[in-house]
């Protein structure tokens, strides 16, 4: 590579990284629309300013809603789902640039799915339709301080019957977007004598401006364009209209959507990996040392090639997982777990290599590499740690004994 172009072809360095595929006609149209919107409304300098000021991009979120990229053709009034093959395109493209927005949409797509499957007519009209149109956002409140992967056993948040309604008490933490959302889907224990730890838990659609709800923004290393919060419920009174789905079966209902969350997390991680690789290759093509482009140094070139192999490998798994999810295949959850592992590993490996390639420039906030490096770490443990997913694949794919 010389002077930022691919030798003999005159194309910008890293152009093949952006030439993803094969896409269907619908996927290609969505991908091109997202790229155009990012160019017009969220250039790199705007994203950097939002990240520095830790501000959510309300304007761009509205643009996504107006373009139909939140509802993605689903019909909120009858509860139909968006195509997972379309969701992953949106999330990969956002992950490659507007990472915090991509993380936000992972939550919104999950909320859309839960409300579509389990919401009643009133909840769909009142909460789901504004969400699908990009006029509102929801937070998803499951995690607690003492409960990560084993949250069902550790859950302390509870909702107790009181007359014709409920009283909700407890605390949730690591909740994305709670400070800037109107509602949260909250999981709380409603029965203490459940036969299994995952039974006796109910979902509620809780207005975040209700009396007794308080939100505290946490100071995190990455995803600065989307708030991460602790949410406390102090004797919050709820009526029956806030119950989402079947009483006592909320955790089981959420489990049914986790495959989609893993799939979408993989798409964001893949986007981060691709964006970081593009930045590193462009820098290596332009940076001169010892009278030549550093992109010509063999050891450095190998690290970038390894990154390209990881990106394309993760994309292959992601595509296979999305196809399986769309078809309702029995192994779709396993493929999604594999894709999330591969994409998260690619994102962390490539951002680490990118920091090394760029040296002091990578460490500087003037370049996006440090943001990719920080943001990529989220997907080593969310929505499930890669270690737990490896255990899942070991049991489901290799037939090994269950390890947890």
């Amino acid at each position: 590579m010389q002077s930022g172009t691919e030798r003999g072809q005159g194309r910008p360095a890293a152009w093949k990284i952006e030439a993803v595929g094969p896409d269907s006609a619908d996927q290609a149209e969505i991908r091109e629309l997202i790229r155009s919107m990012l160019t017009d409304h969220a250039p790199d300098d705007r994203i950097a300013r939002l990240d520095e000021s830790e501000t959510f991009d309300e304007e761009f979120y509205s643009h996504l809603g107006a373009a139909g990229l939140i509802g993605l053709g689903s019909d909120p009034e009858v509860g139909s789902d968006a195509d997972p093959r379309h969701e992953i395109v949106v999330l990969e493209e956002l992950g490659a640039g507007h990472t915090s927005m991509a993380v936000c949409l992972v939550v919104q797509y999950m909320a859309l799915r839960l409300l579509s499957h389990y919401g009643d007519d009133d909840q769909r009209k009142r909460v789901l339709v504004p969400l699908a149109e990009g006029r509102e956002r929801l937070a998803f409140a499951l995690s607690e301080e003492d409960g990560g992967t084993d949250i069902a056993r550790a859950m302390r948040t509870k909702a107790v019957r009181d007359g014709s309604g409920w009283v909700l008490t407890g605390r949730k933490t690591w909740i994305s977007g709670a400070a800037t959302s109107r509602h949260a889907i909250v999981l709380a224990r409603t029965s203490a004598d459940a036969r299994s730890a995952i039974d006796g838990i109910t979902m509620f659609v809780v207005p975040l401006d209700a009396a007794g709800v308080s939100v505290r923004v946490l100071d995190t290393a990455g995803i600065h364009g989307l708030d991460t919060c602790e949410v406390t419920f102090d004797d919050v009174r709820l009526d029956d209209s806030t119950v989402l789905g079947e009483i006592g079966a909320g955790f089981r209902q959420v489990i049914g959507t986790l495959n989609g969350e893993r799939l979408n997390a993989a798409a964001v991680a893949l986007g981060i990996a691709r964006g970081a690789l593009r930045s590193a290759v462009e820098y290596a093509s332009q940076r001169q040392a010892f009278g030549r482009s550093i992109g010509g140094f063999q050891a450095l070139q190998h690290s970038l090639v390894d990154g390209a192999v990881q990106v394309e490998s993760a994309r292959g798994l992601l595509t296979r997982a999305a196809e399986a999810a769309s078809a309702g295949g029995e192994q779709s959850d396993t493929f999604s777990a594999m894709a999330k592992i591969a994409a998260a590993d690619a994102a962390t490996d490539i951002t680490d290599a990118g920091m090394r390639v760029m040296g002091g420039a990578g460490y500087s906030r003037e370049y996006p590499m440090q943001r990719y490096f920080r943001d990529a770490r989220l997907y080593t443990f969310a929505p499930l740690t890669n270690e737990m997913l490896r255990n899942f694949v070991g049991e489901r794919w290799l037939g090994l004994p269950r390890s947890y």
Side-chain angles (χ1 to χ4, degrees):
M1 297 180 182
Q2 297 175 349
S3 302
T5 62
E6 189 168 53
R7 190 164 45 209
Q9 297 184 32
R11 290 182 168 127
W15 72 275
K16 286 186 177 178
I17 298 169
E18 301 301 292
V20 300
D23 282 342
S24 68
D26 287 343
Q27 287 175 309
E29 183 179 353
I30 292 170
R31 196 179 299 277
E32 185 56 37
L33 175 59
I34 287 283
R35 290 183 178 184
S36 176
M37 291 174 64
L38 287 168
T39 299
D40 293 342
H41 303 293
D44 288 346
D45 59 342
R46 174 179 170 80
I47 295 171
R49 288 197 303 272
L50 292 166
D51 185 74
E52 285 293 314
S53 64
E54 300 190 11
T55 303
F56 182 74
D57 195 345
E58 299 278 2
E59 180 182 338
F60 193 77
Y61 184 80
S62 296
H63 286 307
L64 290 171
L69 293 169
I70 299 175
L72 277 176
S74 62
D75 188 342
E77 294 189 3
V78 300
S80 65
D81 280 346
D83 191 325
R85 296 171 296 183
H86 296 165
E87 289 183 357
I88 63 169
V89 172
V90 175
L91 294 169
E92 181 191 343
E93 290 303 321
L94 290 175
H98 210 332
T99 312
S100 292
M101 187 62 66
V103 176
C104 173
L105 256 63
V106 171
V107 179
Q108 304 317 305
Y109 287 153
M110 186 176 188
L112 280 161
R113 193 167 288 112
L114 288 169
L115 285 161
S116 293
H117 286 193
Y118 305 112
D120 58 29
D121 290 343
D122 176 67
Q123 289 169 336
R124 289 174 181 167
K125 181 179 180 180
R126 181 170 47 86
V127 183
L128 180 55
V129 171
L131 171 60
E133 294 176 351
R135 293 186 282 116
E136 293 184 10
R137 292 187 303 283
L138 267 76
F140 179 70
L142 172 61
S143 299
E144 298 187 11
E145 185 176 8
D146 295 327
T149 304
D150 196 23
I151 180 59
R153 288 184 178 86
M155 189 173 294
R156 298 291 178 264
T157 300
K158 62 182 180 180
V160 178
R161 266 291 188 190
D162 183 44
S164 61
W166 302 83
V167 177
L168 176 68
T169 58
R171 180 178 292 116
K172 300 290 186 177
T173 193
W174 311 120
I175 310 305
S176 297
T180 50
S181 297
R182 185 172 178 181
H183 293 89
I185 295 175
V186 180
L187 277 83
R189 184 160 292 284
T190 51
S191 175
D193 57 353
R195 61 184 178 181
S196 167
I198 65 173
D199 291 322
I201 294 172
T202 302
M203 289 189 291
F204 295 86
V205 181
V206 179
L208 288 171
D209 61 356
V213 177
S214 59
V215 178
R216 181 172 71 91
V217 177
L218 303 174
D219 192 9
T220 59
I223 316 297
H224 284 172
L226 178 66
D227 50 281
T228 302
C229 305
E230 177 186 85
V231 186
T232 301
F233 306 98
D234 186 7
D235 292 336
V236 179
R237 303 194 69 85
L238 304 171
D239 58 42
D240 276 336
S241 69
T242 63
V243 174
L244 178 59
E246 182 181 348
I247 294 174
F251 200 90
R252 290 189 182 276
Q253 292 166 341
V254 166
I255 288 174
T257 70
L258 292 181
N259 181 52
E261 187 185 19
R262 282 194 296 263
L263 183 68
N264 287 343
V268 180
L270 175 61
I272 295 172
R274 198 187 87 209
L277 182 62
R278 174 192 61 211
S279 296
V281 171
E282 289 177 347
Y283 182 86
S285 302
Q286 297 164 7
R287 177 75 164 89
Q288 299 287 311
F290 303 100
R292 59 190 297 203
S293 162
I294 66 171
F297 297 164
Q298 189 176 71
L300 185 151
Q301 196 171 98
H302 286 182
S303 70
L304 296 175
V305 170
D306 288 345
V309 171
Q310 284 187 285
V311 164
E312 294 306 318
S313 299
R315 177 171 289 112
L317 277 169
L318 181 64
T319 300
R320 186 175 185 183
E323 291 289 346
S326 179
E330 291 183 2
Q331 294 294 340
S332 62
D333 54 353
T334 308
F335 290 137
S336 293
M338 289 180 175
K340 194 267 185 180
I341 293 168
D345 285 351
T348 53
D349 290 350
I350 291 168
T351 54
D352 184 66
M355 292 288 283
R356 294 169 184 267
V357 166
M358 295 180 66
Y363 210 58
S364 169
R365 290 185 176 182
E366 293 182 13
Y367 292 87
M369 186 58 70
Q370 48 78 32
R371 176 173 58 81
Y372 287 129
F373 181 88
R374 289 184 285 109
D375 290 354
R377 270 61 199 168
L378 172 67
Y379 287 113
T380 63
F381 58 85
L384 200 63
T385 68
N386 276 10
E387 290 75 19
M388 288 297 291
L389 286 177
R390 285 182 166 90
N391 295 337
F392 179 84
V393 173
E395 178 189 351
R396 297 295 184 92
W397 192 252
L398 301 181
L400 296 172
R402 186 168 185 170
S403 59
Y404 59 93

